[in-house]
Amino acid sequence: MQILFAFFNSSKYNEYVSEIVFVDTYGHLLGGKPMKYGYFDDKNREYVITVPGTPLPWINYLGRNDMYGLISNTAGGYTFYKDAKLRRLTRFRYNNVPRDFGGRYYYIKDGNTIWNPSYMPCQTELDSYTCRHGLGYSIFESSKNEISSSLLCFIPLNDNVEIHKLVLKNNSSKLKTINIYGTTEWCLYNAVDDSSNFQRNYNIGEVEIDKNTIYHITEYRERRNHFSFFNVNRDIDGFDSDLDTFVGKMNSWTNPEAVLKGTSFSSKASGWSPIAAFRNDVKLQPGEEITLIYLLGYSENDKEDKYLADGSINKKKAVALIEKYSTLESVNQALADLAQQWKKDLSTYQISSPNKKFDRMINIWNQYQCMTTYNLSRSASYFESGMGRGMGFRDSCQDILGFVHIIPEKARERIIDIASIQFEDGSTYHQYQPLNKKGNADVGSGFNDDPLWLVACTSAYIKETGDLSILNEQVPFNNILGSEVPLFEHLTRSVNYISENRGPHGLPLIGRADWNDCLNLNCFSLSPGESFQTASNYDSHKAESVFIAGMFVLYGKEYCELAKLMNKEKEVREISRAINEIEKSVIKNGWDGKWYLRAYDAFENKVGSKENEEGKIFIEPQGMCAMAGIGESFEMPKQAIESLEKYLLCDYGVQLLTPCYSKYHIELGEITTYPPGYKENGSVFCHTNPWIVIAETLVGNNEKAFEIYKKYTPSFIENISNIHRSEPYVYCQTIAGKEAQNYGEGKNSWLTGTASWSFVAASQSILGIQPTYDGLIINPHLLKEFDKVKVVRTFRGVVYTINILNKYSGIYKMIVDGVESKDKFIKYDNKKTTVDVEIRL
Ligand code: BGC
Ligand code: NOJ
């Protein structure tokens, strides 16, 4: 086995960084020290990063309503309003070296030393550095040559403004005369055009400059009724608004000429690249401190009200916003309000267990990630460019599963939005753009699992809230006015679509793909670069998915429950019959002897079978069919889970498949384009792992459930951040599998269905608190060492304090408000405000 030698600079920033690490070709540590690059500060609900040079940019999100920012541990990233593609406010440079380039860049020129509070872009070595990523804010604290700086970035709850509060202090015994530069680089709103259509872009850029505010008004003269602005809350000593002038010939953001010279050129952008760069010349006495507040804002005017009589833009709303946040008190208040809101949101589900790594995921980071995936779906991260995907249908539906308990009213709204892109036949657009909420025709439809996820999230919403009225909500098809029918009818069309589209083995047709976007059984692609998700060249009407069959059984039953509540007897009868048939088809044609098959391809060949040379066993049908309990009387779920443990379990969770595909299979599609061990071709595709955690609890393997949970859950692998490389506080989409060169490396962090499903697995299966249509089932599946666990769960406004005493006796006992219960169920009682529950196990 080859030994790689990796050298990491021993750094003064971080006591945790060791010098030399030996890894084998799979990235396994050999002798060297595992490493981390920071630590959890649970009390403040922060992750504190102690080196600027994390293995990858470790990011955070600002904003929770309309305006959002991505922010890395060196203040990189960008800001947008609602839609990262159509209304991008600031520019980010993709594929850059270093990878993370473009952001909130502040410069301090202190004599001949130029440095940045967040280390980038000058990369001047700092005397100290930390980045604290918290809930909706990030703080960079650093120092250089006896000046300390603190840069706080956040977006307040209800205003479209990103606030950067910069505090500088002279800790020396001498007077310090410094120049401070605060900068931003505008994106010309449409992020795709901005990075491609230069023949136009380089002509359209416009700004209006008004003392300490620069307004970015590109395209405002024509069809845009919005602009953005950058402001600093004190008189300035100089400015620039043209990038090339500010940085100078052959220079860049790392060494702008203006900053090198300690001056500004008063440039007014016209075309090219508009920026805002303010200069403040400051004298700081020993011990003296200065605070500057910078605002990056977004403002919209009515069409008729865009200009003033003198031809300048109407800045009334923008100026009001600037005034609102120009004082320290108002900024501090906005930060406090944000913290308060987060506290309230997270209080719905709080635990205290013997394991602090578990607690910090449940109490803080997993829920935080669920909120972020709910807000942004898969649109904007350091792996999703914000220019491609809008909101995914199946993604958003699944995001609701882990978010619905936090703000159910928002989930309700989202369900209606999602259902509105469904077609009359029950199939649906796969994505929509958040700005206009219309189905995205470029990506199209035909992902046959999609409709069933609508049933999944609607039932989760109703279980959480008891709000059956959503089923009567009038919802259009394809957003066409006049086509509205009750939401329940949308669900009916969803299940009917699956039931009516079955293939030769009685299993649901897969269409373009099911959950696994890369299993493209009806697309035979030979052209380089062609998208497997949109190319349509052969619809066999034969390729079938065992995974969708599992989903149909699981969520079809949910549908029937809802139909019963709605007194829809005919529907219950029909769908129950279809469930029965599909279950039988799986038992007969979807079982491979020791595990569930994955699919049948367009030629009716098996996929995911012992008969295949590669891709013999896949995770998805094992998880889904086991959760649906298919073939329980033949112990199929149990057997499938055993097989999966034998073949797919690795150091970082359960791989998607094995053996990985080594060659391109035209009949299977994109899945075989990835090198072995990456993405859909056999990584630990984390999204699927919680299904196995749930399935393990269903077959009674509590120990195994937690063992798997720990393998892919970031707080548990923080110590090997040098191998995992991704943020230790949020889930990744994938961790490279054991057949990959970089075994254990996490990728595509933040925006992944892993967040929701992990929360569901932990909160509903491991901790076992399951909302039902009329109450809570409490059925924990705990490890022996979890001897005492306390959960405080707010459910429909009632606070349930649940104390679990786990003696591992095998006997279950529940006492509710002093009265022993006969079963594991607590009926919801709206007359109560609190309920005390004691569980003995
Ligand atoms: C990725 C999938 C993703 C799909 C749709 C593929 O390249 O591997 O994970 O779902 O693109 O964007
Ligand atoms: C990521 C996509 O966002 C999701 O919808 C899909 O299920 C997985 N990739 C698996 O392909």
Side-chain angles (χ1 to χ4, degrees), residues 26 161 259 295 301 388 465 508 522 639 692 792 795 814 831:
Y26 289 145
V161 61
V259 182
L295 304 176
N301 282 330
T465 58
N522 293 309
Q639 173 66 64
I692 309 306
V792 181
F795 176 67
M814 176 160 77
K831 286 187 271 323

Side-chain angles (χ1 to χ4, degrees), residues 378 384 389 392 394-395 398 430 449 453 514-519 533 656 679-680 685 687 733 751-753:
R378 307 295 169 269
E384 303 287 0
R389 294 208 247 182
R394 81 158 79 85
D395 295 329
Q398 289 172 88
H430 194 47
D449 62 319
W453 293 116
D514 58 22
W515 171 90
N516 190 330
D517 271 324
C518 297
L519 193 60
Q533 266 92 50
L656 194 142
K679 287 282 272 183
E680 279 83 348
F685 210 104
H687 185 144
Q733 182 198 58
L751 301 184
T752 156

Side-chain angles (χ1 to χ4, degrees), residues 68-114:
Y68 293 96
L70 284 71
I71 186 161
S72 73
N73 61 306
T74 55
Y78 58 89
T79 308
F80 61 93
Y81 174 78
K82 282 193 183 172
D83 192 313
K85 173 176 169 182
L86 301 177
R87 214 148 289 181
R88 183 80 64 98
L89 304 184
T90 60
R91 190 173 272 164
F92 186 73
R93 294 202 152 68
Y94 302 93
N95 273 339
N96 212 286
V97 187
R99 196 173 297 285
D100 182 27
F101 206 88
R104 295 99 184 142
Y105 290 159
Y106 287 84
Y107 300 79
I108 292 144
K109 179 167 160 53
D110 172 15
N112 290 328
T113 308
I114 297 170

